[in-house]
Each structure stands twice: as structure tokens, then as C-alpha cells.
Amino acid sequence: MQEQRPEAGGGGAKLQIREYKESLIIDAAADLFYERGFQRTTLDDIAAALGVTKPFIYTYFKSKYSILEELFDRVYDDLHDAVTEFRKSADPDPVHRFETFVSAYIRKNLERRRFSAIMLEEEKNLSPEKIADIRGKQHDFDRLLTSLVVDGVRAGVFRVDDASLASLAISGMVRWTHRWYSPTGRLSADELCEKFTSTALRIVGWTGSRPTDAAPARGGRRNRAGKKD
């Protein structure tokens, strides 16, 4: 007798449904955390915003604090995926890799301004273990940006004495855009990305050249008459 197998994708569909419902809860909670603050928001408020009961929330999260921690994890994972997109490219140009990283970093902060504000304002409500985890992710991020600056210095296209300090300056510039940027202001998101990327290149002392720029041969090339071009 042939063994019956479970329908393919059954478990995957359930997982997708669960993740979808968790995302609905997280998004609703994020809106309330942003508008009221974490401490003034209750699970009843989150449930009311979704039109569900509090037991429904408990099906997916054990507390308001676990929602906040999951929010932090998802935002950092999303940011990491976006800024490391340059790794998929075979382009060795350190300037282009740096530009790709910084532009994605800026754009993600603009797209998720509310999340950026929550992360800066509500980190104090995380557990010590989660704060340590977040610090580790921040340091990994800073080291990655620093390594891109160092690559440019080694290639002779960036001129900066302290790559780590330059990276921190760039991160500080980007992380606070949620405080003042408005989509209805004088700069569009694309324009701000372009201007901030240019500013980041100035911070690292970009020389304006790229490693692929062709260098003239020593002594010049001679033509058939034996004269230099």
C-alpha cells in the first residue's frame, strides 16, 4: 500500500498566513507606538485598531514588549537586506559599491521614517538582551560601511584619515532624516538620496576618479613616426 503524503505547500501556506497576521499586528502597533509612544499604548489599543480581541494578539505575541522586539528585528533585517544588495553585483568599483550602499541606506530611512523614529525613541523599552543584540547589529552595520570606505582608500579614490569616524558621520546624517524630512517639502526622496550620496562622497574625500579610469602609458604612446601622441 502506497504511503500517502501531505499536500505540498500545506505547511508553507500556514506559515505565510501566520506571518501575514503577525505583520498586521506589528504594523498596527508601530502606528500607535509612533503616535502615542510605547508606554501609552496597550494591547487593547492594538486589538481595537485591528478590530480583533486581545486573545487574538496573544495567539501571536506574548506581550507588548515582544511586539516591539519583533518590530526592531524586522526593521534591521529589512535594512540589512537592502544595503547589502551591492554584494550581488560583480562590479569591483569601490565608488559604485559605496554609492549603492549609501543610497539604499538613505532610501530605507526615508521609506520607513516612522520606524526610524520608534527605533530611536523606544530602544529604552527593550530588554537588556535585545539591546545587546541591537548593538551588535549596529556595530556590524558600521563595520560594513567602514570596510567600503577602506576599500576606496586602498584603491586611491577616497582620501580620509579615519574611515570609522567618516562612517559614523554618514550614519548620523542619515539616521536623523526622519526628524525633518517631509515628502511634501522642497526635495523629493530621489533628490535627497542624490544630494546625501554626494555629501557622503565628500565626507570620504572622493577624488572624482575611479579605479577603472584609464591611465596613460608611461612616456606616452609613440606613433609610427616615432613621435609621442
Side-chain angles (χ1 to χ4, degrees):
M1 181 175 175
Q2 187 177 3
E3 181 182 355
Q4 291 186 348
R5 297 180 180 179
E7 290 185 19
K14 289 182 179 180
L15 180 60
Q16 288 180 348
I17 292 172
R18 181 178 182 86
E19 290 176 346
Y20 173 70
K21 291 180 178 179
E22 288 177 350
S23 295
L24 289 178
I25 295 170
I26 290 171
D27 288 343
D31 287 340
L32 292 170
F33 293 162
Y34 179 80
E35 294 167 2
R36 305 180 185 181
F38 177 79
Q39 291 296 342
R40 293 182 193 153
T41 300
T42 66
L43 285 179
D44 286 315
D45 293 330
I46 299 170
L50 287 169
V52 299
T53 61
K54 189 158 67 172
F56 175 84
I57 305 293
Y58 279 127
T59 303
Y60 301 95
F61 296 98
K62 63 182 181 180
S63 69
K64 181 177 68 170
Y65 289 88
S66 64
I67 296 176
L68 183 66
E69 292 191 354
E70 180 64 19
L71 170 62
F72 268 71
D73 285 341
R74 292 194 179 196
V75 170
Y76 267 104
D77 289 345
D78 185 43
L79 176 62
H80 181 271
D81 289 344
V83 300
T84 56
E85 188 70 19
F86 72 90
R87 287 176 168 170
K88 299 178 182 179
S89 172
D91 186 357
D93 181 359
V95 179
H96 185 253
R97 288 161 67 86
F98 176 83
E99 289 175 321
T100 301
F101 181 100
V102 172
S103 180
Y105 185 21
I106 297 165
R107 193 170 297 280
K108 274 299 174 184
N109 273 272
L110 294 178
E111 290 174 355
R112 314 197 75 168
R113 294 190 306 281
R114 287 193 168 199
F115 291 113
S116 297
I118 293 168
M119 293 174 78
L120 286 171
E121 296 295 334
E122 305 299 350
E123 185 182 280
K124 60 183 177 291
N125 291 299
L126 297 173
S127 66
E129 294 77 16
K130 179 53 65 174
I131 290 177
D133 176 54
I134 294 299
R135 288 285 182 271
K137 291 178 179 178
Q138 289 174 339
H139 291 155
D140 289 341
F141 180 89
D142 291 335
R143 280 193 291 268
L144 178 56
L145 179 53
T146 299
S147 71
L148 290 172
V149 178
V150 170
D151 288 345
V153 172
R154 288 174 176 168
V157 293
F158 294 163
R159 292 178 180 172
V160 61
D161 293 332
D162 192 326
S164 178
L165 187 60
S167 299
L168 291 175
I170 293 168
S171 291
M173 174 182 71
V174 175
R175 284 174 181 164
W176 287 91
T177 53
H178 73 276
R179 289 284 194 182
W180 57 267
Y181 178 74
S182 171
T184 60
R186 68 184 183 89
L187 292 175
S188 68
D190 288 339
E191 289 171 332
L192 185 61
C193 280
E194 182 179 349
K195 288 183 179 295
F196 264 25
T197 301
S198 296
T199 300
L201 286 169
R202 287 196 293 272
I203 290 174
V204 298
W206 182 39
T207 61
S209 62
R210 295 176 183 268
T212 54
D213 289 346
R218 182 177 297 178
R221 187 180 60 183
R222 294 180 180 273
N223 58 25
R224 292 183 179 179
K227 297 180 180 179
K228 290 184 181 180
D229 291 337

